[in-house]
Amino acid sequence: IPDDVSLNHGSHQFSFGASFTYGNYKSKSDFVAAGTMTFNNQDTGIGMGDFMLGRVSTLVMGTPNDKLVLTQNLVAGYATDTWKAKPRLTVNYGIRWEPFIGQTMGEGSVTSFDENRFHQGIKSTVFKNAPAGWYYPGDPGFPGKSGINKRWLQLAPRLGFAWDVKGDGKTSVRASYAYSYNFVNAQWREDTVGSAPWGNRTSL
């Protein structure tokens, strides 16, 4: 839901805007639920021979990956000014506010690793058999069902100018600078939900 407003005042053109996006992502994948097998010639000397005898060289298998229900809210705002500083010089400057609000896994099938917890031998209170350093939703200090702390103070400044060298509109010098943020796509947790303790993917 975007909304933008522009206002002309003297040699300035001010613009303001804000946006809100609600994202909802669901997926079901049987990726390796049926098993992925490889046969080589390790036993009979012929790949087909190993296949006929059922001599598997590698096997990858896991449960269906049907737990990926993900939501994320994106909010942003900006203010900018296009200023005719001189007859031949236009300056554009502004700032964008783009906080990071992490994706939320509906089932809480998300995990994080903390190296300090690992060195201290701290184990999860939710999954007590998990190795030290790994922690999950419900563990002390774990950030909700996201696994990532929110970052509200993400400000992205920008500055640019255009100079009409001779004033005839034929030659110009332009330069700009901007500091920007990117967002994480919706599939970055796919491997997490396919791994233990949710997906239990096994490779032999």
Side-chain angles (χ1 to χ4, degrees):
I1 303 173
D3 195 10
D4 301 277
V5 176
S6 292
L7 173 65
N8 291 321
H9 181 73
S11 59
H12 296 268
Q13 180 183 5
F14 300 104
S15 297
F16 309 92
S19 65
F20 173 78
T21 304
Y22 170 76
N24 188 301
Y25 177 90
K26 298 179 182 179
S27 74
K28 182 182 188 307
S29 171
D30 290 324
F31 184 44
V32 290
T36 301
M37 292 157 273
T38 302
F39 299 88
N40 60 21
N41 60 359
Q42 63 185 8
D43 288 336
T44 65
I46 303 172
M48 182 59 76
D50 283 12
F51 172 73
M52 297 298 289
L53 293 176
R55 303 293 188 180
V56 180
S57 60
T58 62
L59 170 66
V60 180
M61 195 167 191
T63 54
N65 189 343
D66 60 354
K67 294 184 177 181
L68 193 54
V69 179
L70 187 149
T71 58
Q72 184 174 25
N73 295 326
L74 302 173
V75 295
Y78 75 91
T80 186
D81 177 25
T82 301
W83 174 35
K84 192 74 170 176
K86 299 285 184 180
R88 292 190 291 161
L89 177 65
T90 302
V91 180
N92 185 284
Y93 56 94
I95 192 164
R96 182 174 177 85
W97 173 62
E98 201 165 37
F100 175 78
I101 305 171
Q103 301 164 355
T104 299
M105 302 296 293
E107 297 80 9
S109 48
V110 61
T111 182
S112 285
F113 177 78
D114 186 313
E115 188 176 359
N116 291 326
R117 292 170 65 97
F118 170 75
H119 290 303
Q120 295 172 29
I122 301 174
K123 290 195 169 190
S124 169
T125 59
V126 176
F127 295 104
K128 297 183 179 179
N129 291 331
W134 292 98
Y135 64 134
Y136 307 83
D139 278 326
F142 195 89
K145 289 185 177 181
S146 173
I148 302 177
N149 293 313
K150 295 180 177 66
R151 297 178 60 179
W152 292 103
L153 197 62
Q154 290 197 163
L155 300 175
R158 52 209 60 204
L159 173 66
F161 74 87
W163 174 43
D164 186 348
V165 179
K166 296 182 178 180
D168 56 7
K170 293 182 178 180
T171 305
S172 65
V173 175
R174 301 170 185 267
S176 64
Y177 166 84
Y179 188 93
S180 303
Y181 295 91
N182 201 353
F183 64 92
V184 182
N185 70 48
Q187 296 186 10
W188 78 302
R189 289 295 189 186
E190 197 167 79
D191 286 339
T192 301
V193 297
S195 305
W198 298 284
N200 297 308
R201 193 175 301 160
T202 302
S203 298
L204 299 174

